[in-house]
Amino acid sequence: MQPTVRLLPSATLLSAGLSIHRRRPAKPSPLSSNPSNNSIPPASSTSIVTMEPQTQAIFVLFVLQEASNSQRHTSDQNMHNVSDHVDEDVTSDAVDMDQYRINSWEDIVTESWVVRDFCDEHNHELVVPKLARMLRSHKKMTEPDISQMNHMKEVGISMPNIFGSLASQCGGYENVNFSIKDMHNQVAKQRRQLPDDLTSAMAYLETLAARDQNLFYSVEKGREGVFRQIFWCDGRCQLDYDLFGDVLAFDATYKKNRYRMLVVIFSGVNHHNQTVVFGAAIVSNERKSTYAWLLKQLLIAMKGKTPTSVITDGHHSMAIAIQEVFPNAHHRLCAWHLMRNATSNIHKTQFTKMFTKLMLGDYEVGVFKQKWEEMVGFFGVKDREWIVDMYEKRNMWATAHIRGKFFAGFRTTSRCESLLAVLK
């Protein structure tokens, strides 16, 4: 069905200040054989109003919109609407819908449609003054507002507090011509005008390197210069690693940021049992090659010193990378992650308690084996894939099998995870 226009001069059209009608074609008289002698002149029944170019453009857009909207209605509804609003002297029993059809914008500008009335007065109530500030034409931040917002933001004041301060200066919220969302949009606009993030990050690291001659950083890029990962550590990190780097813990379970990248923290413990950071990295994935690259950069930054023990959450890619870069280091799995995995795989609280006791208990190897067989037999999970895998890796988590290895009191990577609050 071709798009048609509904003529509603009493409602929709008058809201735009226009009353439009289709120019009627000549209608033959039933008493004459010469239709042209009895035709109704279009100009005599309609007074055409000359509009300015801007008004014409608005009118054309309006009618085209009405034509598009009318596609949702059935032909019967269109017939009813048109027949209700045609001039009273139309006496034909049937209305030719083709007379009221708009096929293109040429039908509007070639006198197929004419304007009978134009009213430039508002036919609705205006917005109350206190809400006028929310109109699009009125919502804007002035340069002084933007400058003051930036200065307050630089000293750590939150957006709601900045907005409240600006409102108090204007005498109330009703006098502020913008919203908090407009402030956030302005900040985003300013950020888009800055250099890209990688360029800014590199410039920042170069600034730090000018202050700290021992600062080490490395960036890996992919095809077409796309950023993949970055590793950095300052002089203090290198000094701490030289003294306390025998045990290395690293974790990559932090929440992904807006760029869907992971933050990796390398940490250890000092002689006061305090957490120390050896380095940090941002990576785009958790592949074996990514972790191998990170550990190699750590090795370069620390002048070739390798750790005695490494503690991780047990990610498969981490284990392969550690074996490749630190082949002589003993790899221990995080006890907390093992307990969580026991719960998620066996789904029995009592099993998790017995597994934890067996993991941390100071048993002889033979006693450990006996208790393990009793436990898996009691719960009937001997053939479970996770149970088989854990027993094969018992040298990485069971106290009975790692006795004599140095871990500086580390059992979990919780020290790494506690740094999340600091990172936030």
Side-chain angles (χ1 to χ4, degrees):
M1 182 181 69
Q2 294 291 335
T4 60
V5 173
R6 293 190 302 152
L7 302 181
L8 301 174
S10 61
T12 309
L13 301 181
L14 282 182
S15 68
L18 296 172
S19 177
I20 63 173
H21 289 265
R22 177 79 174 190
R23 183 189 294 277
R24 297 192 307 277
K27 179 181 178 181
S29 172
L31 301 177
S32 172
S33 60
N34 187 358
S36 61
N37 294 335
N38 296 279
S39 61
I40 302 176
S44 61
S45 60
T46 306
S47 58
I48 302 177
V49 178
T50 302
M51 295 182 289
E52 295 295 331
Q54 183 178 6
T55 306
Q56 293 178 3
I58 296 175
F59 171 67
V60 170
L61 292 175
F62 177 79
V63 176
L64 285 177
Q65 182 181 9
E66 285 294 308
S68 176
N69 292 338
S70 66
Q71 292 180 350
R72 305 169 188 171
H73 301 272
T74 62
S75 58
D76 292 339
Q77 290 175 319
N78 286 327
M79 179 76 72
H80 174 72
N81 291 329
V82 172
S83 62
D84 285 346
H85 296 93
V86 296
D87 292 343
E88 296 178 356
D89 56 351
V90 177
T91 58
S92 174
D93 293 335
V95 178
D96 185 2
M97 292 302 297
D98 290 335
Q99 300 179 28
Y100 300 92
R101 198 178 303 279
I102 294 180
N103 298 315
S104 65
W105 67 273
E106 287 87 354
D107 290 345
I108 301 173
V109 299
T110 56
E111 297 187 358
S112 295
W113 289 85
V114 296
V115 178
R116 282 192 172 181
D117 305 297
F118 179 79
C119 178
D120 59 356
E121 297 178 358
H122 284 281
N123 61 348
H124 59 83
E125 295 182 359
L126 299 179
V127 178
V128 294
K130 73 174 185 178
L131 297 180
R133 65 184 182 87
M134 303 308 296
L135 295 175
R136 179 172 295 184
S137 59
H138 292 63
K139 290 179 65 176
K140 62 180 179 180
M141 293 188 68
T142 63
E143 289 300 327
D145 292 333
I146 296 174
S147 178
Q148 188 172 359
M149 177 192 70
N150 291 335
H151 287 308
M152 298 175 74
K153 184 173 177 294
E154 288 175 358
V155 297
I157 302 177
S158 64
M159 281 295 186
N161 290 336
I162 295 175
F163 184 68
S165 176
L166 296 175
S168 64
Q169 295 177 22
C170 297
Y173 289 96
E174 66 276 5
N175 298 322
V176 183
N177 292 337
F178 52 86
S179 63
I180 295 182
K181 182 177 180 181
D182 296 323
M183 297 170 63
H184 284 289
N185 291 339
Q186 179 62 36
V187 172
K189 179 181 178 181
Q190 295 175 3
R191 288 177 177 173
R192 288 193 296 269
Q193 295 173 350
L194 297 175
D196 61 272
D197 292 345
L198 181 57
T199 302
S200 300
M202 296 303 297
Y204 178 71
L205 290 174
E206 292 173 0
T207 302
L208 295 180
R211 306 174 190 170
D212 184 358
Q213 296 181 354
N214 294 322
L215 179 73
F216 176 88
Y217 65 90
S218 180
V219 177
E220 183 182 40
K221 298 181 181 179
R223 297 177 181 177
E224 301 179 357
V226 177
F227 169 83
R228 283 187 176 175
Q229 41 260 350
I230 180 173
F231 169 84
W232 72 94
C233 63
D234 59 14
R236 177 63 183 272
C237 292
Q238 297 173 38
L239 179 61
D240 287 337
Y241 184 87
D242 184 56
L243 297 174
F244 312 111
D246 294 325
V247 179
L248 174 67
F250 72 98
D251 183 78
T253 59
Y254 296 109
K255 182 179 180 180
K256 293 182 178 181
N257 55 23
R258 63 181 296 182
Y259 302 104
R260 301 190 66 78
M261 287 185 155
L262 293 169
V263 178
V264 181
I265 301 294
F266 297 91
S267 64
V269 61
N270 64 13
H271 56 302
H272 294 294
N273 200 31
Q274 297 171 330
T275 301
V276 290
V277 177
F278 300 142
I282 298 177
V283 299
S284 59
N285 56 70
E286 294 188 271
R287 298 172 184 168
K288 187 269 294 183
S289 58
T290 298
Y291 286 122
W293 181 86
L294 285 181
L295 295 179
K296 290 177 181 178
Q297 301 310 308
L298 178 69
L299 197 61
I300 294 173
M302 304 307 173
K303 301 176 178 59
K305 179 180 178 178
T306 61
T308 302
S309 304
V310 181
I311 302 175
T312 72
D313 60 3
H315 195 282
H316 182 65
S317 298
M318 286 184 182
I320 298 176
I322 292 171
Q323 182 63 32
E324 177 182 327
V325 182
F326 302 144
N328 297 323
H330 191 84
H331 183 194
R332 180 172 185 172
L333 301 180
C334 171
W336 182 84
H337 284 86
L338 289 177
M339 290 185 288
R340 186 183 65 175
N341 293 338
T343 302
S344 61
N345 284 276
I346 307 303
H347 307 289
K348 295 180 180 179
T349 304
Q350 190 62 28
F351 175 86
T352 302
K353 292 181 179 179
M354 294 183 64
F355 176 82
T356 303
K357 183 178 180 180
L358 190 59
M359 174 177 57
L360 303 179
D362 192 12
Y363 303 110
E364 295 294 333
V365 174
V367 176
F368 171 85
K369 181 179 180 180
Q370 178 184 353
K371 288 183 174 294
W372 175 268
E373 292 177 350
E374 292 175 356
M375 180 184 67
V376 297
F378 178 79
F379 289 98
V381 294
K382 181 178 180 180
D383 297 328
R384 292 280 187 92
E385 181 180 355
W386 184 81
I387 294 294
V388 174
D389 182 61
M390 283 296 98
Y391 189 74
E392 291 177 353
K393 295 179 179 179
R394 59 190 180 278
N395 291 328
M396 301 173 67
W397 57 269
T399 302
H401 288 273
I402 62 177
R403 185 184 292 107
K405 302 294 191 299
F406 178 67
F407 293 100
F410 268 95
R411 287 181 175 177
T412 69
T413 59
S414 59
R415 288 180 179 267
C416 298
E417 296 173 1
S418 65
L419 294 173
L420 179 60
V422 180
L423 291 177
K424 285 184 178 179

